[in-house]
Amino acid sequence: MVALRALRPFAHREFRVLISALSISIFGSGMWAVAMVYEVIHLGGGPLELSLVATAASIGLVAFVLLGGIAADRFPQRLLIIAVEGANLAVIATVSLLAMLNVLQLWHLALGAFVLGVGQAFFFPAYSAILPRILPAEDLLAANGMEGTVRPILQQAAGPALAGIIVASLSPAFAVAGVAVCHFLAFGILNFLSRQTLDARGVAPAEGPTESSFFFDLKEGFTYTLRTPWLLWTLIWACLSVLFLIGPIEVLLPFVVRDQLGGDSRMFGFLLAIMGVGSAVASLTTASFPLPRRYLTVMVVTWGLGSLPVAAIGFITEFWWLGAAMVVFGVTEGIGVVIWGTLLQRRVPPHLLGRISSLDFFVSLALMPVSMALAGPVAEVVPIWLIFFVGGLVCPLMAFLALFAARMTSDEIAHPLTSDTVSAESPDSQPDAV
């Protein structure tokens, strides 16, 4: 019965349609990550040109993600999701055609990457906001766990692997064509989402002007966050964890592998892969059980303790110990992310969910390039072991600070999340406003 809990969302037709399309789309995104790299190389580009294309995607995502959250709260999420997938299809199909005709240029790739980044900015807030409308509250944890399972498997492993085979066997242009096929299938499947049940807004209107401005909507989302301690302090912790952990893992870990373990790119890739597998298994396992009664405590403590092994990375000289540290980090990340997504969908008022989801997404992304940019220069003046040691200790300390500063232990008791409780709370119902 425990194993069947993770499959309960599949009893709902709309979820089956949505997760099928999402799985195909993220599989295509995984293929694009490899196809784009080798298309840049095919055009004679190097690290600089590849960085420009990747940066274009990041700019599109970060610049539009808050607007995407406002759109998810203002417009039917079904139409937004379909429109984004249609735009993805148009972009990738155009790039594929240009590549096949041997007229593709670097600026075409950069522009396409930018549009894909903008699409992500609109897609994920709408996806987060639509789940509570198609599933009962008790199935949201399983739905988030299912997404947390398929994403690393398809986007980080299967998609890149297939694209690599196609590039090696044929050419980058054929790999891009494969991405276009994925988006074509996802777009077609999304059109089977029910219009009658999902195009009607069906949520309580927000207080304030009936025709609110962009800035009013943005202010309302920030105000709710500032008045909701568990949300505010979790986002503060997320900011610091991204700053202290992402850069070292992405930028400095390859040098740890080379200098401390004598490994190469294959060992580094394998470490990232087992971290992703650990996250996927943890997500599926979390989805197979009910939401913990002490959901905030479990989430924050799991995230905090999961960061501790990072502190030891600079001292590890054996591959299996480093692999174990990465698995622990991936497992705890998977558990926390599934619980976190469920909390947003169950405790944030429906008319604010798109904006809060986009704010969460923005916080997670904003400091990522900063962390990566700082990791290299800092490593020139500070030993790498010290960078990992500080990051691995700061994040657990901040997690426990957030737990007590937001009074999460009492908040989760005051707001139990069982199948018969109210799914969302109003801004005025916060027990400990800050």
Side-chain angles (χ1 to χ4, degrees):
M1 294 298 293
V2 171
L4 292 178
R5 181 181 294 272
L7 302 178
R8 289 198 316 197
F10 287 94
H12 304 273
R13 176 189 176 276
E14 304 302 327
F15 179 78
R16 293 197 301 271
V17 172
L18 190 60
I19 195 66
S20 298
L22 178 67
S23 298
I24 296 173
S25 181
I26 63 176
F27 180 80
S29 297
M31 291 185 64
W32 169 254
V34 172
M36 179 266 292
V37 169
Y38 286 96
E39 194 61 70
V40 170
I41 295 174
H42 179 72
L43 294 174
L48 176 60
E49 289 77 11
L50 181 59
S51 177
L52 289 173
V53 175
T55 300
S58 298
I59 291 174
L61 179 56
V62 174
F64 285 87
V65 68
L66 294 179
L67 181 60
I70 292 174
D73 289 334
R74 282 194 173 201
F75 304 105
Q77 293 113 14
R78 169 187 170 274
L79 295 181
L80 283 174
I81 290 173
I82 293 175
V84 167
E85 199 57 46
N88 291 343
L89 172 59
V91 167
I92 297 297
T94 301
V95 171
S96 176
L97 178 62
L98 294 174
M100 290 290 185
L101 296 175
N102 290 318
V103 295
L104 184 68
Q105 298 181 33
L106 188 66
W107 72 267
H108 294 142
L109 278 175
L111 179 60
F114 175 81
V115 176
L116 292 176
V118 174
Q120 282 186 294
F122 282 87
F123 183 92
F124 288 105
Y127 173 82
S128 297
I130 204 174
L131 279 183
R133 304 185 64 197
I134 65 177
L135 293 173
E138 61 269 21
D139 288 344
L140 289 173
L141 183 71
N144 289 309
M146 190 57 59
E147 191 226 340
T149 301
V150 301
R151 184 173 295 280
I153 292 174
L154 298 180
Q155 190 169 12
Q156 299 175 18
L162 179 60
I165 293 172
I166 295 175
V167 169
S169 303
L170 300 171
S171 72
F174 281 94
V176 176
V179 179
V181 171
C182 290
H183 287 296
F184 174 77
L185 294 174
F187 177 74
I189 293 172
L190 284 173
N191 279 275
F192 286 97
L193 286 171
S194 173
R195 299 180 182 179
Q196 290 75 17
T197 58
L198 295 181
D199 283 352
R201 297 299 296 134
V203 296
E207 295 180 3
T210 54
E211 292 186 4
S212 57
S213 67
F214 168 84
F215 293 104
F216 175 85
D217 286 348
L218 196 60
K219 178 183 176 182
E220 188 179 23
F222 275 103
T223 300
Y224 177 82
T225 300
L226 293 174
R227 295 180 60 185
T228 310
W230 67 268
L231 177 60
L232 173 65
W233 279 94
T234 304
L235 291 179
I236 291 174
W237 180 88
C239 277
L240 291 175
S241 66
V242 167
L243 181 63
F244 279 90
L245 297 179
I246 297 302
I249 290 176
E250 294 289 339
V251 177
L252 302 181
L253 187 60
F255 296 98
V256 170
V257 170
R258 184 192 68 184
D259 298 336
Q260 295 176 203
L261 279 67
D264 55 15
S265 60
R266 291 172 295 180
M267 182 181 291
F268 174 64
F270 183 72
L271 287 171
L272 295 183
I274 61 176
M275 183 177 71
V277 170
S279 179
V281 172
S283 297
L284 183 60
T285 303
T286 305
S288 302
F289 291 89
L291 188 70
R293 181 170 177 265
R294 292 280 189 175
Y295 52 88
L296 289 170
T297 301
V298 171
M299 178 185 73
V300 174
V301 171
T302 299
W303 269 336
L305 294 180
S307 303
L308 274 177
V310 176
I313 287 179
F315 304 100
I316 294 175
T317 57
E318 297 290 335
F319 169 76
W320 295 111
W321 282 110
L322 185 54
M326 299 305 292
V327 168
V328 170
F329 185 77
V331 166
T332 53
E333 180 189 34
I335 294 172
V337 167
V338 171
I339 296 176
W340 172 245
T342 306
L343 297 190
L344 293 183
Q345 292 156 355
R346 294 198 60 181
R347 290 196 60 177
V348 174
H351 72 278
L352 289 170
L353 184 52
R355 276 165 284 178
I356 300 304
S357 297
S358 68
L359 181 61
D360 169 45
F361 207 32
F362 179 79
V363 163
S364 301
L365 293 169
L367 290 181
M368 191 176 297
V370 176
S371 179
M372 292 183 182
L374 289 176
V378 171
E380 293 292 324
V381 296
V382 176
I384 288 180
W385 69 263
L386 183 58
I387 296 174
F388 280 105
F389 185 74
V390 171
L393 291 184
V394 166
C395 292
L397 290 175
M398 275 304 305
F400 285 97
L401 175 62
L403 185 69
F404 291 105
R407 303 179 186 178
M408 294 187 187
T409 54
S410 58
D411 182 278
E412 60 196 356
I413 297 300
H415 297 88
L417 293 182
T418 57
S419 58
D420 57 349
T421 56
V422 178
S423 295
E425 58 205 42
S426 68
D428 296 330
S429 68
Q430 306 304 321
D432 301 298
V434 294

